[in-house]
Amino acid sequence: AEIKALATGNPYIKEKMDLDIQVSKLKLMRANHTSQIYSLESDIARRYPAEITAAKERIAGLKADLAVAKPLLLEQDKEKFSITVEDRVYTDRKEAGSAILAACAAMKIAKTEGQIADLGGFAISSRFDAFAQTFKLTIKRQSSYTIELGSDPAGNIQRILNALASIEKTLPQVERRLETLQQQLAEAKEEVQRPFPQEAELNKKSARLAELNALLDMDEKGDDAALGMDEEVTDSELPAPKREIERSADSVKRPSILAQLHEKQAERMAEPKPQKKKSHDMEL
C-alpha cells in the first residue's frame, strides 16, 4: 500500500487498502456476533426450556422418592430388612443378594431385561451391560438410580441402600442446577437484544471506503492504470478523478512520483538524439 501510494503520489491508495483490511475484519466480527445471536435464540426457544422442565421434574421426583426412602432406610438401620425378589420375600441380606444375582443371571441367559425385585415400593430392574461385562440395576419409583452389581451378595444389598441414601444429597445439586439454568436463560434473553457494538464504526469505514473506490475508480481500472507507469500521459489527458487526486495530493504536500517521471521524460525528449550512420545501400 505504501509503495503504491509513493508510486502514484496519491495518499488515498494507502488509505483505501488499509480500510479494506479494517472493514473485512469488522464484517467478520459482525458475522460472528450474528451467529452467536442465532445460537442464543435457539437456546432460548429450545434448549433452556427443555432442560429447565427436566430439572423441575427431577426435583419433584427426588422429593417424592426421598419422602419414601427416609423411613425405609430407618427401618433398615434397625435390622428390619425386607426385600421381595421374584415374588419371594427375603429378610436376610446375604440370601437376598444371592437371589438377586441368580435372577440377573437368568435374565442374561434369556437375553432379556426387566424387574426382578421390589424394596419398599422401589422397583429394581436388571440388565446386562455387554460392553462392561457387568450387571446394572435400575432402582425406580418416580426417579431412577442406577448401580453396578458386584460379586458379594450382601455388598450388593448395601449398594441398593446407598443409592436410596444418596437421594438426599442429589436433591440440592439438582436445585442448584435449576437455578443456574434459569439465570443463564435470563442472561441469554438480555444478550440477544444487544446490537453489534462496532456497527457505527463499520458503517463509517464502509462509507469512506465506498468514497475512495469511487474516487480512485478501482473497480474499473487495473493496477497499471492506477500506478500510471505504463504510458506517457500528461495532466490534461488524465481522467477527471485522477486530476482531482493529483490536486489533492499536491494540497497535502505529498511528493508526486508521476510528476517526477514527467520531468525526466521531458528532459530526455529535449536531449539531442545522435544521428545514425546510413548504410552504403541506403546512400546508393
Side-chain angles (χ1 to χ4, degrees):
E2 292 176 357
I3 290 174
K4 278 192 174 185
L6 290 173
T8 61
N10 180 7
Y12 296 138
I13 295 289
K14 183 175 184 302
E15 183 184 357
K16 177 258 187 307
M17 299 185 75
D18 288 342
L19 278 177
D20 276 334
I21 296 173
Q22 295 174 30
V23 169
S24 295
K25 287 182 177 179
L26 288 170
K27 286 183 177 180
L28 179 60
M29 292 169 64
R30 185 174 63 179
N32 290 336
H33 177 267
T34 302
S35 177
Q36 291 174 359
I37 294 299
Y38 289 154
S39 179
L40 286 173
E41 289 176 344
S42 177
D43 289 343
I44 291 170
R46 298 179 182 86
R47 185 171 72 87
Y48 286 126
E51 292 187 7
I52 288 173
T53 299
K56 288 180 177 179
E57 292 176 353
R58 176 70 168 166
I59 290 171
L62 288 171
K63 287 181 177 179
D65 289 351
L66 183 59
V68 176
K70 269 190 173 182
L72 180 62
L73 293 171
L74 289 175
E75 289 180 2
Q76 303 301 329
D77 291 340
K78 295 177 181 179
E79 298 300 329
K80 293 181 179 180
F81 176 75
S82 176
I83 187 172
T84 301
V85 181
E86 293 189 324
D87 299 328
R88 180 179 174 181
V89 178
Y90 292 86
T91 57
D92 182 80
R93 297 191 181 196
K94 187 174 182 180
E95 291 180 0
S98 297
I100 288 176
L101 285 173
C104 290
M107 286 278 188
K108 179 184 177 184
I109 293 172
K111 295 182 179 180
T112 185
E113 57 185 50
Q115 184 175 342
I116 59 171
D118 182 275
L119 176 61
F122 287 90
I124 302 175
S125 301
S126 168
R127 69 178 179 87
F128 181 71
D129 188 338
F131 181 78
Q133 291 293 304
T134 58
F135 290 107
K136 298 290 181 68
L137 291 186
T138 300
I139 307 162
K140 183 176 182 180
R141 191 172 177 274
Q142 289 198 20
S143 290
S144 300
Y145 319 91
T146 302
I147 65 170
E148 181 179 306
L149 283 184
S151 58
D152 180 20
N156 289 331
I157 297 299
Q158 189 59 48
R159 292 185 184 190
I160 294 173
L161 297 175
N162 290 342
L164 297 180
S166 68
I167 298 175
E168 192 169 7
K169 295 180 180 179
T170 304
L171 179 57
Q173 295 175 0
V174 181
E175 289 175 336
R176 287 194 295 270
R177 170 63 177 164
L178 175 60
E179 292 177 359
T180 300
L181 288 171
Q182 291 172 334
Q183 181 179 356
Q184 289 176 344
L185 175 59
E187 292 175 352
K189 288 180 177 178
E190 292 181 2
E191 187 67 26
V192 80
Q193 300 298 327
R194 295 178 183 174
F196 178 51
Q198 293 168 289
E199 186 69 31
E201 179 183 358
L202 174 58
N203 292 337
K204 181 179 178 180
K205 290 185 176 180
S206 296
R208 177 57 179 165
L209 182 60
E211 291 177 1
L212 291 173
N213 283 335
L215 185 65
L216 298 171
D217 200 17
M218 294 297 291
D219 293 334
E220 297 179 3
K221 301 297 182 180
D223 290 341
D224 293 340
L227 287 171
M229 297 288 288
D230 293 344
E231 299 180 358
E232 179 183 348
V233 295
T234 63
D235 290 345
S236 61
E237 293 173 340
L238 287 173
K242 293 189 178 295
R243 292 199 300 272
E244 181 180 350
I245 292 170
E246 192 70 28
R247 289 194 298 270
S248 299
D250 293 339
S251 65
V252 295
K253 298 182 179 180
R254 297 286 182 92
S256 175
I257 301 299
L258 185 61
Q260 295 177 17
L261 291 176
H262 290 166
E263 292 177 3
K264 290 182 179 180
Q265 183 69 16
E267 292 175 0
R268 287 197 297 268
M269 295 291 293
E271 291 178 358
K273 296 183 180 179
Q275 296 290 332
K276 293 183 179 180
K277 295 181 178 181
K278 297 182 179 180
S279 64
H280 178 70
D281 294 338
M282 291 181 65
E283 290 178 354
L284 292 176

